[in-house]
Amino acid sequence: MAQPLVKKDDDRDDEAEYSPFLGIEKGAVLQEARVFNDPQLDPRRCSQVITKLLYLLNQGDSFTKVEATEVFFSVTKLFQSKDLGLRRMVYLIIKELSPSADEVIIVTSSLMKDMNSKTDMYRANAIRVLCRITDGTLLTQIERYLKQAIVDKNPVVASAALVSGIHLLQTNPEIVKRWSNEVQEAVQSRAALVQFHALALLQQIRQNDRLAVSKLVTSLTRGTVRSPLAQCLLIRYTSQVIRESSTQTGDRPFYDFLESCLRHKAEMVIFEAARAITELSGVTSRELTPAITVLQLFLSSSKPVLRFAAVRTLNKVAMTHPMAVTNCNIDMESLISDQNRSIATLAITTLLKTGNESSVDRLMKQITNFMSDIADEFKIVVVEAIRSLCLKFPLKYRSLMNFLSNILREEGGFEYKKAIVDSIVILIRDIPEAKESGLLHLCEFIEDCEFTYLSTQILHFLGIEGPKTTDPSKYIRYIYNRVHLENATVRAAAVSTLAKFGAMVDALKPRIFVLLRRCIFDSDDEVRDRATLYLNTLGGDGEVVETDKEVKTFLFGDLDIPLVNLETSLKNYEPSEEPFDIHSVPKEVKSQPLVEKKAPGKKPAGLGAPPSGPPSTVDAYERLLSSIPEFSNFGKLFKSSAPVELTEAETEYAVNVVKHIFDRHVVFQYNCTNTIPEQLLENVSVNVDASEADDFAEVASKPLRSLPYDTPGQTFVAFEKPEGITAVGKFTNMLRFIVKEVDPSTGEAEEDGVEDEYQLEDLEVVAADFMMKVGVSNFRNAWESMGEDFERVDEYGLGPRESLAEAVSAVINLLGMQPCEGTEVVATNSRSHTCLLSGVSLGNVKVLVRLQFGIEGSRDVAMKLSVRSEDEAIGDAIHEIVSCS
């Protein structure tokens, strides 16, 4: 249960917290438990001992098998007492001890006796305990009693049976599903909690049947639900049905029901309905209006929980529909001074998202007043909102940058400081006018920065951006100070940054040489080695001469090879006369396992965003394919796709496919799973029709000899394609196999089988399959070093789109390239956006793409596409992909 908000009181801070369980020991409590064996039971003392035992269990203390057994048998003797309070404690301790199967028998008869008692409190608790400690065998014996309890007149007993059913559904679903009629009857109960629990259980029983859930929602939305809790649950199930419905435009099913709930007498139902409406996919302004009106009324409520719920929901709505929330701005401004700092923080961040340019300065003054009173987690929310506001109104960067620099000097934890630094870095990258002031703010911060990670990341960023400013020399002092005043890690980073200034600004080279020579005498090996390396690399003995292009590439160039792959290749390298070839290292991190899919992680967009995690299956596909004779002469594997599902969930056979791309071949790896226990599949293969893929010709296949129940297996089909080109096409798939029945008792399959086939979903090979996602840490340097020799620029109309973000996402998915520097994220309400992409095309050709988007009032999106690559044909191919899509 949520704790009530208590105003901070200095007098209360001096009071020492006292716990009645302070200093208790397990051994002493177990000794006290002997009181359960006394001939004359003392109910009060027994209850106190049980309370101590429960405290120890909940604090994480574990009892040995012997100790738990002794306590359990002692507790069973307490059933002799007729004291109601003690009996409740007995039920609790039995549940927590979770006795083994042979011990359960001892207490079963007492619990079954209580389950049929005339005392309702005994019946309800006995049901909860029995369902917690019994297995499926005993459950079938008491099923009749449980069914009766579900429709019992006493709401406490009925709720106990229903809640037990919810828990049992996880372990014995086949038994609970037989209670549907009784649960359906309980849904009509006049008791609020019974109706709530019955509806929750009924939905879980039917959750795998979408049509049944839809019928349930349809019947209940006609007004048979009286309980506010059940009504909230029904609203959530209704939202789920709406999400799963294919209707995205026009009349939305059940919207009228959600809107009618906004007029309910219970505040929790009103809020649940308002939140459900705001979270609808593709919700329109007209649909939002009644929900926003209700939430606006909650903003002026006397209850803090309602104000918090309303402002938090409006905060989320402001991310996608800022104009719809503007009517609430006056009410939210009054919440900035709210005693609850959480409400004030959400109010201010919502105002930052919905406010106009003229209100920025006023809002910044109000934020400054309460920043010191809120926790770091709320400060981070404010910082992120300010960053979005600055990107929305670039002309206000001075006041917003000054605010960020001021709070950067205040006390705060690592995550808070990192959020501020990330925001300043993003503003420097996106607003050119903010570069000079932003870099100086970062320089001042590292003068007194206690976090090594942030210092090194800022020094690295200074090395990239500092030399490009009008007066690079003013940053040298801040950087060299780190060599004297910081730990070895920061000193090494400072040496590298100095070297980059020397390489990029020829006029500073003599001064940089003097500073680097002083670093040779550092106490740390890494610092000395870096200084020596850079002195030898820069050359010219510190004279004002232009640095070679190769040296700049060495200092600034990106290692476009995942470190995990490099490490693996170095470990596998055997010393010989042939030197290690870095070009032999695979450039793609194959993070997908052979059958199982993994959800992609959210990529951070701030300073020093780490690369995606290192998998253990980097070379798994390559090893698998090279071990198959039919594919061993296909050459080096270029790329493997993520698994593509070819069957729906809960079908007889689960099949997904991985597309393996070679220079002249494409191999389809079909991962198959048999989900029917009574069947064995043999000679499993996939018949692929390539009539809609003119550039492909089937050359080899490898069937799967046997596919037992729940054991994944693979079958392969290989196609030949013209060398080096982006061939696309559509393939129709038919799974073919021989079915043999399996005897459940012996597990043996019959000798004779029947040939059968199963239609799979169609599979497409698209242009993105021939592009590998390889990021670059500094896109500008990579773009400039690529040169204009093979640059191709053109403009395209993308037609009407839901939003600019949707258009950006569509083009990224079409090209299959890696977004750089967080440019895949589009600022809310932005009318234009630039997205930077990088990748490696088939043939290991590096490709860089710059996309510039603009959206008009009619939602028509225009795009300027600029491509630079090491091969002119690749640039032409990318433009052709966009023009034909």
Side-chain angles (χ1 to χ4, degrees), residues 77 152 251 282 292 484 511 562 611 769 798 847:
K77 297 176 183 179
D152 195 274
D251 293 334
I292 299 295
H484 288 290
R511 295 162 60 184
D769 292 326
L798 303 183
V847 187

Side-chain angles (χ1 to χ4, degrees), residues 173-193:
E174 67 286 345
I175 293 177
V176 180
K177 286 177 181 177
R178 297 201 291 259
W179 305 351
S180 291
N181 292 336
E182 287 77 13
V183 177
Q184 184 82 50
E185 186 178 340
V187 170
Q188 309 302 323
S189 171
R190 301 185 68 86
L193 272 180

Side-chain angles (χ1 to χ4, degrees), residues 85 127 129 241 290 326 443 624 870:
I127 288 170
V129 178
V241 171
T326 50
C443 286
L624 176 67
E870 298 172 337

Side-chain angles (χ1 to χ4, degrees), residues 502-700:
M504 298 298 290
V505 186
D506 297 324
L508 292 177
K509 189 176 286 187
R511 295 162 60 184
I512 297 296
F513 257 73
V514 173
L515 300 178
L516 288 177
R517 286 195 184 100
R518 292 178 184 173
C519 298
I520 293 176
F521 303 102
D522 193 273
S523 59
D524 185 74
D525 292 348
E526 176 73 15
V527 178
R528 294 197 303 271
D529 290 348
R530 288 196 187 193
T532 305
L533 171 67
Y534 294 135
L535 282 169
N536 293 328
T537 306
L538 289 174
D541 296 324
E543 298 174 4
V544 183
V545 294
E546 186 176 354
T547 308
D548 292 340
K549 185 176 180 181
E550 291 183 359
V551 173
K552 290 183 180 180
T553 304
F554 172 73
L555 292 175
F556 284 93
D558 297 310
L559 183 67
D560 57 354
I561 298 169
L563 292 177
V564 177
N565 294 8
L566 180 60
E567 180 184 3
T568 304
S569 299
L570 287 169
K571 286 179 178 177
N572 296 335
Y573 172 70
E574 297 180 2
S576 62
E577 294 182 0
E578 293 187 9
F580 177 77
D581 183 10
I582 198 167
H583 297 293
S584 66
V585 180
K587 295 184 177 181
E588 183 186 16
V589 177
K590 304 183 185 75
S591 59
Q592 296 287 350
L594 295 182
V595 177
E596 183 186 358
K597 291 194 298 181
K598 294 237 179 174
K602 187 177 179 182
K603 180 178 167 64
L607 181 65
S612 53
S616 58
T617 56
V618 174
D619 300 316
Y621 286 135
E622 200 154 12
R623 287 197 300 270
L624 176 67
L625 294 169
S626 61
S627 66
I628 301 173
E630 292 89 339
F631 312 141
S632 58
N633 62 344
F634 284 1
K636 189 168 182 61
L637 177 64
F638 172 70
K639 176 186 174 181
S640 298
S641 74
V644 179
E645 296 295 335
L646 298 183
T647 56
E648 294 183 358
E650 308 297 331
T651 54
E652 300 97 316
Y653 313 110
V655 181
N656 64 48
V657 62
V658 177
K659 296 174 274 188
H660 301 294
I661 309 297
F662 294 85
D663 194 32
R664 295 183 57 192
H665 298 85
V666 175
V667 177
F668 297 146
Q669 172 187 324
Y670 295 91
N671 302 311
C672 309
T673 304
N674 171 21
T675 62
I676 304 177
E678 298 81 13
Q679 288 187 358
L680 170 69
L681 307 187
E682 291 187 349
N683 197 22
V684 181
S685 63
V686 178
N687 184 38
V688 184
D689 180 4
S691 57
E692 295 184 55
D694 298 335
D695 293 328
F696 294 85
E698 185 174 336
V699 292

Side-chain angles (χ1 to χ4, degrees), residues 314-325 349-350 352-355 384-385 387-394 430 803-806 824-833 855 859:
L314 290 170
N315 186 278
K316 292 179 181 178
V317 175
M319 296 178 186
T320 52
H321 297 82
M323 296 308 294
V325 185
T349 52
T350 309
L352 289 172
K353 294 170 187 172
T354 60
E384 290 173 349
R387 179 174 69 201
S388 301
L389 187 70
C390 195
L391 294 174
K392 185 178 176 182
F393 304 120
D430 290 6
S803 65
L804 203 58
E806 190 260 333
E824 72 274 23
V825 180
V826 182
T828 307
N829 253 15
S830 178
R831 311 298 298 175
S832 61
H833 183 71
I855 188 168
R859 293 191 177 275

Side-chain angles (χ1 to χ4, degrees), residues 107-355:
V107 79
T108 300
S109 59
S110 297
L111 289 172
M112 291 185 71
K113 182 181 176 183
D114 283 358
M115 195 168 68
N116 294 297
S117 168
K118 294 180 180 179
T119 307
D120 290 333
M121 191 276 291
Y122 284 3
R123 294 168 60 204
N125 283 301
I127 288 170
R128 290 176 184 270
V129 178
L130 269 173
C131 293
R132 172 73 176 269
I133 66 175
T134 55
D135 56 10
T137 308
L138 182 60
L139 200 59
T140 54
Q141 298 177 25
I142 64 171
E143 183 182 2
R144 179 169 60 88
Y145 299 107
L146 293 174
K147 283 185 175 182
Q148 290 174 356
I150 289 174
V151 293
D152 195 274
K153 293 179 180 179
N154 188 294
V156 177
V157 176
S159 276
L162 290 165
V163 171
S164 299
I166 292 172
H167 292 304
L168 288 171
L169 198 62
Q170 310 302 320
T171 53
N172 296 279
E174 67 286 345
I175 293 177
V176 180
K177 286 177 181 177
R178 297 201 291 259
W179 305 351
S180 291
N181 292 336
E182 287 77 13
V183 177
Q184 184 82 50
E185 186 178 340
V187 170
Q188 309 302 323
S189 171
R190 301 185 68 86
L193 272 180
V194 173
Q195 193 172 49
F196 170 63
H197 291 140
L199 178 56
L201 179 55
L202 191 59
Q203 191 273 342
Q204 288 191 32
I205 290 173
R206 301 181 179 182
Q207 62 184 349
N208 293 324
D209 187 344
R210 189 182 298 180
L211 182 60
V213 173
S214 181
K215 287 182 178 178
L216 173 66
V217 169
T218 303
S219 64
L220 293 177
T221 50
R222 292 169 184 163
T224 57
V225 177
R226 302 179 188 87
S227 162
L229 285 170
Q231 189 82 349
C232 290
L233 212 52
L234 178 59
I235 290 170
R236 295 187 181 185
Y237 299 152
T238 304
S239 299
Q240 181 184 337
V241 171
I242 293 174
R243 280 196 302 272
E244 293 171 353
S245 171
S246 58
T247 306
Q248 296 295 329
T249 56
D251 293 334
R252 197 188 297 272
F254 302 115
Y255 174 79
D256 291 339
F257 165 72
L258 294 179
E259 191 176 12
S260 68
C261 290
L262 295 174
R263 296 181 288 275
H264 199 277
K265 59 184 179 181
E267 292 167 336
M268 70 169 78
V269 175
I270 297 171
F271 171 71
E272 193 69 42
R275 189 178 67 170
I277 291 173
T278 61
E279 292 177 353
L280 291 176
S281 176
V283 64
T284 63
S285 299
R286 184 186 64 81
E287 291 172 329
L288 270 177
T289 302
I292 299 295
T293 304
V294 166
L295 293 171
Q296 186 175 4
L297 293 173
F298 281 175
L299 291 176
S300 55
S301 170
S302 59
K303 300 177 182 177
V305 68
L306 280 181
R307 298 199 302 274
F308 176 79
V311 74
R312 185 175 65 169
T313 305
L314 290 170
N315 186 278
K316 292 179 181 178
V317 175
M319 296 178 186
T320 52
H321 297 82
M323 296 308 294
V325 185
T326 50
N327 292 336
C328 307
N329 282 4
I330 297 174
D331 298 278
M332 280 189 287
E333 284 197 28
S334 65
L335 294 179
I336 295 176
S337 56
D338 196 281
Q339 289 183 346
N340 188 309
R341 295 289 87 187
S342 302
I343 295 174
T345 305
L346 287 168
I348 198 73
T349 52
T350 309
L351 285 168
L352 289 172
K353 294 170 187 172
T354 60

